């Protein structure tokens, strides 16, 4: 079986939602899964080396320059399929899926679409690509991926509803698997004294309540919304520290100027994020109400809970907002937070972490992965 990606950079998300998934399928289901990853020719050899260091059996291939030429990569995929002898593909994203579907009459027996987003909505709402002429192509490619695939993985029930509304999807050949934490993350929490000692080691104040944002500065992250929201909290509660684990951006720079005594910015490697999260109290996940965010399953939600944090979240973010309400593991907010934030109790930390173990690990979705792979391998 091939797990196929196209134009996905090696980020923390790639490590936890691609490489970790392939490793899990290999071990838990005893299936030989080969990662085939088409990546940009810019910095190709460096990126290839990094991916191979994480999963040595991966086939990392250069993609044709610019996304407009995505179909040409089906030629490379054709010879890759011949070389590996594999005839089943799980394809992450619409372009990878359509590349696989092009080969289906010839070499590929079955294709599963690993749907991560409302792709055409994302391109429309956030100008993801500079090539405006690509939008009609993307809409058609997304519809084909949803309708023509033999099976589908979806990150949320809201994404399934999006498929139903946009493409008249009416099959039941799918499973829902949200974004999950990397298997390398430790499930052990820090006790109160250990947490204070680690804060000191990381250069963070021991006495403050810490809100953390961990993630990218992409448009759908709604940094303006988050900055305005946190500003109101800091003006009201001077005992709060806002920690940002992210690359710099205009919003972050401006925030630092206004709240320098209550703000720390760090950009750390993916394998260092966990230790920072575990010394915080609250993870923040605020986003604008767009279709992109309505169907999303942010990895940071799983990571926050796994680290024991309660989550401050906007309404209507995939299935995560309702999860917070139903499980009392944070606050679903609108424009402001009604109550003052207090240090998180050890009892609440343990509860949050246990929720992550139950609902946001690969192991929690063994049955769903097995349904998918059995369907593709004709073991129904």
């Amino acid at each position: 079986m091939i797990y196929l990606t196209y134009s996905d950079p090696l980020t923390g998300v790639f490590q936890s939602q691609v490489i970790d998934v392939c490793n899990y399928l290999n071990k838990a289901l005893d299936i030989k899964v080969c990662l085939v990853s088409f990546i940009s020719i810019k910095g190709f050899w460096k990126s290839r080396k990094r991916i191979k260091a994480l999963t040595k059996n991966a086939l990392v291939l250069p993609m044709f320059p610019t996304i407009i030429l995505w179909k040409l990569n089906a030629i490379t995929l054709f010879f890759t399929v011949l070389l590996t002898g594999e005839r089943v593909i799980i394809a992450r994203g619409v372009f990878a899926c359509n590349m696989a579907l092009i080969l289906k009459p010839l070499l590929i027996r079955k294709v599963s679409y690993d749907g991560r987003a409302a792709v055409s909505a994302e391109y429309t709402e956030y100008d993801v690509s500079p090539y405006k002429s690509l939008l009609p192509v993307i809409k058609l490619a997304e519809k084909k991926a949803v309708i023509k695939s033999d099976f589908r993985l979806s990150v949320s029930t809201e994404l399934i509803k999006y498929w139903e509304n946009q493409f008249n999807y009416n099959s039941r050949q799918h499973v829902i698997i949200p974004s999950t934490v990397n298997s390398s993350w430790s499930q052990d929490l820090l006790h109160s004294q250990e947490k204070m000692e680690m804060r000191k080691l990381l250069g963070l104040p021991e006495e403050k309540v810490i809100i953390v944002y961990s993630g990218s500065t992409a448009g759908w992250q709604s940094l303006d919304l988050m900055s305005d929201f946190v500003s109101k909290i800091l003006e009201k509660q001077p005992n709060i520290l806002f920690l940002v684990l992210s690359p710099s951006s205009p919003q972050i720079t401006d925030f630092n100027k206004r709240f320098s005594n209550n703000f720390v910015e760090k950009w750390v490697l993916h394998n260092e994020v966990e230790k920072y999260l575990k010394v915080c109290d609250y993870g923040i996940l605020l986003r604008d109400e767009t279709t992109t965010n309505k169907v999303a399953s942010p990895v940071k939600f799983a990571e926050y809970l796994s680290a024991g944090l309660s989550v401050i979240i906007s309404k209507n973010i995939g299935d995560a907002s309702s999860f917070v309400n139903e499980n009392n593991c944070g606050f679903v907010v609108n424009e402001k937070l009604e109550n003052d934030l207090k240090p998180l109790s050890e009892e609440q930390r343990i509860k949050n972490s246990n929720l992550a173990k139950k609902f946001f690990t690969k192991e929690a979705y063994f049955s769903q992965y097995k349904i998918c792979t059995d369907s593709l391998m004709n073991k129904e």
Side-chain angles (χ1 to χ4, degrees):
M1 180 182 294
I2 288 174
Y3 189 96
L4 179 65
T5 72
Y6 170 78
S7 193
D8 281 315
L10 179 56
T11 61
V13 171
F14 189 92
Q15 291 182 50
S16 63
Q17 308 309 306
V18 175
I19 294 174
D20 198 42
V21 168
C22 291
N23 291 340
Y24 177 73
L25 293 176
N26 274 312
K27 293 176 183 177
L29 297 180
D30 195 25
I31 294 173
K32 179 188 173 186
V33 178
C34 175
L35 172 61
V36 176
S37 187
F38 285 82
I39 64 173
S40 172
I41 58 173
K42 184 178 180 180
F44 171 79
W45 292 108
K46 182 179 179 181
S47 296
R48 179 182 182 274
K49 183 178 180 180
R50 291 175 62 205
I51 293 173
K52 296 282 284 184
L54 294 168
T55 174
K56 62 181 180 179
N57 294 325
L59 294 177
V60 185
L61 306 169
M63 55 186 264
F64 281 85
T66 78
I67 201 168
I68 290 178
L69 301 177
W70 68 270
K71 275 189 179 181
L72 293 179
N73 295 284
I75 300 170
T76 312
L77 181 61
F78 174 86
F79 290 105
T80 303
V81 170
L82 282 179
L83 175 69
T84 62
E86 301 294 342
R87 296 295 182 265
V88 171
I89 293 180
I90 298 176
R92 176 183 171 90
V94 296
F95 290 118
C97 188
N98 276 260
M99 286 159 54
L101 289 172
I102 288 172
L103 301 186
K104 192 179 175 187
L106 300 171
L107 288 176
I108 302 301
R109 192 171 72 249
K110 284 195 175 183
V111 176
S112 177
Y113 171 46
D114 189 356
R116 315 301 302 179
V119 182
S120 52
E122 188 175 293
Y123 272 71
T124 302
E125 293 169 344
Y126 295 103
D127 290 328
V128 173
S129 172
Y131 305 105
K132 304 302 180 185
S133 61
L134 200 59
L135 184 57
V137 176
I138 290 167
K139 288 182 177 179
L140 185 61
E142 185 175 19
K143 181 176 182 179
K144 188 174 180 181
V146 171
I147 301 301
K148 297 295 185 181
S149 293
D150 300 286
F151 202 86
R152 301 139 200 93
L153 300 167
S154 170
V155 292
S156 68
T157 55
E158 291 298 329
L159 183 56
I160 297 292
K161 292 177 185 177
Y162 167 82
W163 292 346
E164 291 169 345
N165 293 332
Q166 294 295 315
F167 310 122
N168 294 319
Y169 172 69
N170 59 9
S171 173
R172 290 294 172 262
Q173 291 297 301
H174 65 255
V175 291
I176 297 170
I177 303 176
S179 297
T180 52
V181 293
N182 199 314
S183 300
S184 65
W185 278 47
S186 168
Q187 298 296 321
D188 297 327
L189 296 178
L190 300 176
H191 296 297
S192 297
Q193 186 58 38
E194 292 174 321
K195 187 181 74 170
M196 292 301 108
E197 290 173 358
M198 182 58 75
R199 279 190 180 188
K200 188 175 181 180
L201 191 64
L202 297 175
L204 299 172
E206 300 173 45
E207 73 283 357
K208 288 186 180 289
V209 176
I210 300 181
I211 302 173
V212 63
Y213 169 74
S214 172
S216 75
T217 57
W220 53 83
Q221 303 288 0
S222 310
L223 295 186
D224 287 329
L225 177 67
M226 181 179 68
S227 296
D228 290 344
F229 183 88
V230 176
S231 295
K232 294 174 184 176
I233 295 177
L234 296 185
E235 288 167 356
K236 184 180 178 184
Q237 284 190 260
N239 66 319
I240 300 288
L241 178 81
F242 185 33
L243 172 63
V244 172
L245 304 177
S246 172
S248 191
S249 71
Q251 297 94 332
I252 292 171
T253 300
D254 178 66
F255 199 95
N256 192 18
K257 290 177 181 176
R258 295 164 56 203
F259 298 99
S260 58
N261 293 330
N262 298 79
F263 179 79
V264 174
E265 176 192 359
K266 290 180 180 286
W267 180 231
V268 300
L269 297 175
H270 178 65
N271 59 7
E272 296 179 304
V273 170
E274 181 184 7
K275 65 183 179 183
Y276 280 91
L277 293 187
K278 285 186 175 180
V279 302
C280 299
D281 296 282
Y282 300 91
I284 193 161
L285 182 48
L286 301 184
R287 293 188 178 180
D288 297 315
E289 281 203 55
T290 60
T291 300
T292 299
N293 291 326
K294 187 177 181 181
V295 306
S297 177
V299 179
K300 66 173 64 65
F301 181 71
E303 293 176 343
Y304 288 160
L305 284 179
S306 181
L309 310 187
S310 285
V311 184
I312 302 169
I313 190 170
S314 305
K315 61 180 181 179
N316 299 326
I317 297 183
D319 300 333
S321 302
S322 58
F323 185 91
V324 169
N325 266 335
E326 292 164 8
N327 293 279
N328 193 27
C329 55
F331 308 98
V332 179
V333 298
N334 292 317
E335 294 182 358
K336 64 179 182 178
L337 193 64
E338 298 298 333
N339 302 313
D340 287 352
L341 292 176
K342 298 178 181 179
L344 211 59
S345 69
E346 197 156 324
E347 180 183 9
Q348 185 67 50
R349 288 178 181 278
I350 293 171
K351 176 185 176 180
N352 294 342
S353 181
N354 286 339
L355 285 171
K357 291 176 188 176
K358 185 175 181 180
F359 294 104
F360 297 102
T361 60
K362 307 291 185 301
E363 291 78 11
Y365 294 93
F366 173 86
S367 296
Q368 286 86 341
Y369 280 121
K370 193 170 190 311
I371 289 170
C372 173
T373 56
D374 282 356
S375 175
L376 296 177
M377 306 294 283
N378 294 321
K379 294 181 181 178
E380 299 102 318

